[in-house]
Amino acid sequence: FKYLKPFDDAFRGKSIFPIREDESVFLSLAAYREHLLADTLMYAFTQAKDPDNLFVGAVVQNCFGKVSDDGTIDASGKPCKTGLEVVGKNAAGKDMTKMSDAPPDHNGIADFCAKPAFRKYCDSGQIRVLYVHASESLGPAMARYYASKLWGGETYFIQCDSHLQFATHWDDKYITEIKATSNFPKSVLSSYPPGFTGHDPNFKGVRETP
């Protein structure tokens, strides 16, 4: 908190950016040890109609390794823990669980930026990141709050999960839909997206309702 509070104080009660009038989109992501973060970013940019006008603000809360008192990180071996894993059934047929030692979490931002097809978005400053040790996480609400502070004046603001697939030209569809509301530009669109199962190497876009 002592590191995040100064960041918060700099923005408190004011916006330091004028709102852009270029139809740009800001995507706010809060990720906690998220193994699908890179996929989510790839889906977002691949499926966007105007990916050059898409900007991301992500709060990545990972186990990066063992943190020493001086702040250095030792990522060797298995310094992290898994979540509860089902390892079998007991005599009563109930799940038996345990936590195991694990290597550091994958950095979804680094994985995304390392891919040649997407590196240009990172190099151009379209990906903004705040890293937080998972052990110092203050929960999803605070992570989303700090992700919102990475907004840079983009015309439209979208908050979503860090494990999500996107429809073809999703950005243009959202803009068209919100402009059709009677109280635009003070409108808020809300939805609950359908689930999906893990990484899909053959992903071609989500199925949309006509």
Side-chain angles (χ1 to χ4, degrees):
F1 183 73
K2 68 179 180 180
Y3 300 110
L4 292 176
K5 188 175 184 302
F7 178 72
D8 186 47
D9 289 342
F11 290 86
R12 188 178 299 277
K14 62 180 181 297
S15 172
I16 62 173
F17 299 105
I19 297 177
R20 295 163 53 170
E21 300 295 339
D22 58 358
E23 301 291 87
S24 53
V25 174
F26 176 74
L27 196 63
S28 173
L29 301 175
Y32 184 83
R33 305 193 69 180
E34 179 59 73
H35 67 289
L36 292 174
L37 177 56
D39 282 3
T40 297
L41 293 173
M42 287 188 285
Y43 294 147
F45 279 90
T46 300
Q47 297 297 102
K49 182 177 182 179
D50 188 5
D52 292 330
N53 227 9
L54 173 61
F55 297 80
V56 173
V59 173
V60 177
Q61 305 159 103
N62 273 6
C63 176
F64 301 100
K66 183 178 180 179
V67 184
S68 63
D69 292 339
D70 64 1
T72 57
I73 300 173
D74 181 2
S76 61
K78 295 184 176 181
C80 303
K81 293 288 186 182
T82 65
L84 287 175
E85 300 174 306
V86 177
V87 295
K89 301 282 187 181
N90 61 21
K94 302 290 186 180
D95 288 341
M96 295 188 298
T97 61
K98 73 170 185 176
M99 295 178 66
S100 305
D101 294 333
D105 298 327
H106 276 287
N107 184 338
I109 300 295
D111 291 345
F112 171 78
C113 292
K115 296 182 180 299
F118 302 104
R119 186 177 298 126
K120 64 178 182 177
Y121 302 119
C122 304
D123 293 344
S124 66
Q126 288 176 246
I127 309 295
R128 307 162 192 153
V129 191
L130 175 63
Y131 289 108
V132 178
H133 291 292
S135 59
E136 298 177 352
S137 170
L138 299 174
M142 286 301 294
R144 289 172 180 146
Y145 172 72
Y146 281 113
S148 74
K149 298 298 184 181
L150 301 175
W151 173 75
E154 287 77 26
T155 313
Y156 301 99
F157 184 107
I158 297 177
Q159 177 181 287
C160 69
D161 289 333
S162 54
H163 40 266
L164 198 68
Q165 294 177 335
F166 290 81
T168 302
H169 294 173
W170 62 270
D171 50 338
D172 182 64
K173 291 171 181 175
Y174 269 129
I175 291 171
T176 299
E177 186 171 352
I178 200 167
K179 283 184 174 181
T181 60
S182 60
N183 58 336
F184 177 79
K186 297 183 178 181
S187 313
V188 175
L189 301 180
S190 179
S191 66
Y192 196 92
F196 66 99
T197 304
H199 172 73
D200 181 2
N202 299 314
F203 178 75
K204 298 272 192 301
V206 298
R207 186 175 62 187
E208 299 181 65
T209 302

